[in-house]
Structure formats: C-alpha cells, structure tokens
Amino acid sequence: MKKSYLLLCFMFCCAVGAFAQQRPQYTQYMVNPFLLNPAVSGTEDYADLRAGYRKQWAGFEGSPRTMYVSAHTNIGKHLVTNNRSRSKKNGFHGIGGIITNDAIGATNTTTLSAAYSYHLKVSKKVFVSLGAMGGFNQFSLDANKLQPASQGDNLIQSQSKMGLGDITVGGWVYSDKFYFGASMAQLAPSLTFTRTGEALNYQLAHHYFVMAGYMIPLGYDFKFIPSVCIKGLTPAPLSFDINAKIRYKDFLWAGVSYRNRDAVAGMVGIIINNTFDISYSYDYVTSDIHKYTGGSHEIVVGYRLRSQGRIICPSNFW
C-alpha cells in the first residue's frame, strides 16, 4: 500500500515540477466553467449552485479524489438586459465562491476561494467580463502513508501542514450562442520559511486555460455544442480537450470528450423541472496507466436558484 502511494506522489511531482499536488482534473468543466475561470461568475440568469465528486483512476490505490461545492450569481444583470432605455455601457457584477477538497495518496488539499467579476454589454447579445478569484490552500501530509528512506525523517514531520495563497484571473466573452475565455491560475507568490537555518521555498505552478464553445441548432429541439479547452502548465507538455454534445431542449444531453495522451470520456446529463440537474461522466484511460485502473468517474449535481417572477432561460454553457 505504501509503495502505491509513493509511486502516485512521485508521478504527480514529476509531472508538474513543484511541491505537492496541483489543480484537480475535471472532465465536466464545461458544465461548470466557473471552476477554471472567475469571469464566468454571474453569467447566468440565476444563482448557479453545484456540487461535484470525481474519482480518478478507480482501482489504483491512493488515486486522486476530488470534491467541490461552488456557487455564483449576478448583481444588477436585469437592469442591463431588460431595460432598453439604459446605455449598453452600464455593466453588472458577478460574485461567487468555491470550496474544494482534493486528495492524492498521502496528500490532502482544501481550498477556499471567493470570486468577483464585472460584465459589460458590448452589443445586443454579446457580453465581455473580467474576473478575479482569491483564496487559500491548506496542504496536509499524512506521514503514516509514506515509507521514508530514513525512519523518523524530521523533514516529513515538520512539513505535515502548510498553507499558501491562491490567485486566479480571467476574461470571458459570451452570448447565447458561444463563449470564449482564458484564465491564469495559481499566481500567488511563493512561500519561504527556514528549517534549522536552511531556506525552503515552495510555489504552486502557474496554470493557463483557454476555453471556447459554440451552439449549433439542429432543428427546433436539438442543438449541437462542440467545445475545446487548452491547458498549459510548465514544464508539463501542452494538453487539450475536444468535446461534443447533443442537447435536447433544456432537458437532456449526451456527449463525448477526448483528452490527448490521457482519456476518452462519455457524458450524459438531465435537467429536472428547469431547476435541478445531474450529470455523469466516465473516462476510459488511454495512457499507460490504463493497465492498473478501471477508469475515472465524475458526477455533478446542480441547482438553479431563480428570483421570483424571473423568466426561465436555459443555461448558456452546459
């Protein structure tokens, strides 16, 4: 068991070239793009509440497990979109927050983040937003799950817990037909402290995301939604996801996703009474690790909290 944890921790550290784990992997980020870009906060016509659970590489002991709760809403959007007498230069605000817990082998990370965004109407149906998210990461290490070369290693014991700030910034261009956005995550300065006179410096690796999607009508009831996400992280190679969905009204959808050098995923989701939605995805791993795992599972549950009297509009992005 301890050897499995050590192998997993070693793989992740080599992949990102930094201490501890990095940002969680998501297959259904297009269901909740707010996870990757704070400028998404406030884009919908309702308060968007979501909870997600992901088990990556099922069957691999100590494999990543991620849980999150997120919420975001707009402030003053109806004044911009429903009042024809107002200038399109008047904007509105978005706010939101995310709580995430991510476990990999002996490591565990809890992140609390709050987001703010400002949205401008640049044409009849197109909006542009800029957003920022600030938070705090609490890292912990369970030394009982490790097998150090030297028993009683003081370095492991002294670094069992550590905290780091987290900053994410992003931009988003969107309408009821398309979206395009870019964000940079984990921009907080490094943490430096001393141990027995030795300076130790830890910094989270910067992450870069570019996302885009377009909604293509297929008759009256069906829509085809292709999308792409490009992910950058130094020194890891560039990765990308290519996704395709078919949506039936604002009721049911199914899709597939391809992540280069990693996995092919199938996805399905349903919306109940224009209020609740639930979606599930399964990743078939195509990398060498597929010999040791049964794939990855992810489930997302959402709730659309609407103001009384507000017109029911479908989600722009899922």
Side-chain angles (χ1 to χ4, degrees):
M1 179 175 67
K2 292 183 178 179
K3 289 184 178 179
S4 296
Y5 288 140
L6 284 173
L7 174 60
L8 203 61
C9 291
F10 175 78
M11 291 168 57
F12 270 78
C13 287
C14 289
V16 301
F19 174 79
Q21 70 185 69
Q22 299 296 295
R23 295 181 69 89
Q25 177 76 268
Y26 299 108
T27 295
Q28 298 186 58
Y29 56 83
M30 69 290 290
V31 174
N32 191 6
F34 176 52
L35 292 171
L36 304 183
N37 193 326
V40 174
S41 59
T43 51
E44 300 289 9
D45 293 321
Y46 47 82
D48 188 84
L49 288 72
R50 297 195 175 272
Y53 175 86
R54 177 178 176 84
K55 180 59 178 177
Q56 188 166 329
W57 302 340
F60 198 119
E61 193 168 9
S63 61
R65 185 273 301 150
T66 303
M67 299 183 293
Y68 75 82
V69 176
S70 72
H72 68 89
T73 189
N74 62 75
I75 301 174
K77 182 177 181 180
H78 65 286
L79 298 177
V80 177
T81 58
N82 297 342
N83 191 335
R84 296 181 181 274
S85 65
R86 285 183 173 268
S87 168
K88 69 179 182 180
K89 293 182 179 180
N90 292 332
F92 62 93
H93 311 272
I95 57 173
I98 304 174
I99 301 175
T100 304
N101 181 264
D102 194 34
I104 303 175
T107 67
N108 190 290
T109 305
T110 299
T111 302
L112 287 80
S113 303
Y116 168 79
S117 62
Y118 185 74
H119 302 247
L120 278 175
K121 190 175 183 181
V122 296
S123 71
K124 186 177 180 180
K125 293 185 177 181
V126 178
F127 295 82
V128 174
S129 65
L130 295 175
M133 181 182 295
F136 180 79
N137 295 310
Q138 176 67 61
F139 301 96
S140 64
L141 177 70
D142 186 352
N144 294 324
K145 295 180 179 179
L146 297 177
Q147 189 174 2
S150 301
Q151 295 298 322
D153 191 324
N154 293 329
L155 182 61
I156 293 177
Q157 298 296 330
S158 64
Q159 296 177 9
S160 59
K161 287 187 178 182
M162 183 176 66
L164 281 175
D166 191 4
I167 298 173
T168 301
V169 297
W172 200 253
V173 183
Y174 64 100
S175 73
D176 58 349
K177 299 293 185 183
F178 74 91
Y179 64 85
F180 173 81
S183 60
M184 298 181 292
Q186 298 187 168
L187 303 180
S190 61
L191 176 70
T192 302
F193 61 96
T194 58
R195 181 185 66 85
T196 63
E198 179 185 2
L200 302 174
N201 182 279
Y202 296 115
Q203 182 175 14
L204 294 178
H206 299 336
H207 289 61
Y208 307 91
F209 302 95
V210 177
M211 302 172 59
Y214 194 83
M215 187 180 297
I216 303 172
L218 300 177
Y220 184 75
D221 291 332
F222 291 89
K223 293 179 174 63
F224 174 59
I225 309 173
S227 63
V228 63
C229 180
I230 301 173
K231 310 170 190 178
L233 167 63
T234 303
L238 196 71
S239 67
F240 61 86
D241 294 7
I242 299 175
N243 318 294
K245 290 185 177 182
I246 295 290
R247 188 172 89 179
Y248 174 68
K249 296 184 176 180
D250 198 24
F251 170 64
L252 185 68
W253 64 265
V256 295
S257 177
Y258 168 75
R259 185 180 308 119
N260 70 313
R261 301 188 304 273
D262 185 29
V264 176
M267 303 174 285
V268 64
I270 188 171
I271 297 85
I272 303 171
N273 197 30
N274 290 305
T275 302
F276 296 94
D277 63 81
I278 183 170
S279 55
Y280 168 79
S281 63
Y282 170 77
D283 295 17
Y284 174 78
V285 179
T286 57
S287 64
D288 291 342
I289 202 173
H290 79 273
K291 303 174 184 178
Y292 311 101
T293 175
S296 302
H297 305 269
E298 185 175 327
I299 186 169
V300 178
V301 178
Y303 177 69
R304 305 175 183 181
L305 178 62
R306 306 177 190 273
S307 300
Q308 291 186 353
R310 185 69 61 85
I311 297 175
I312 295 178
C313 298
S315 167
N316 285 332
F317 306 123
W318 69 265

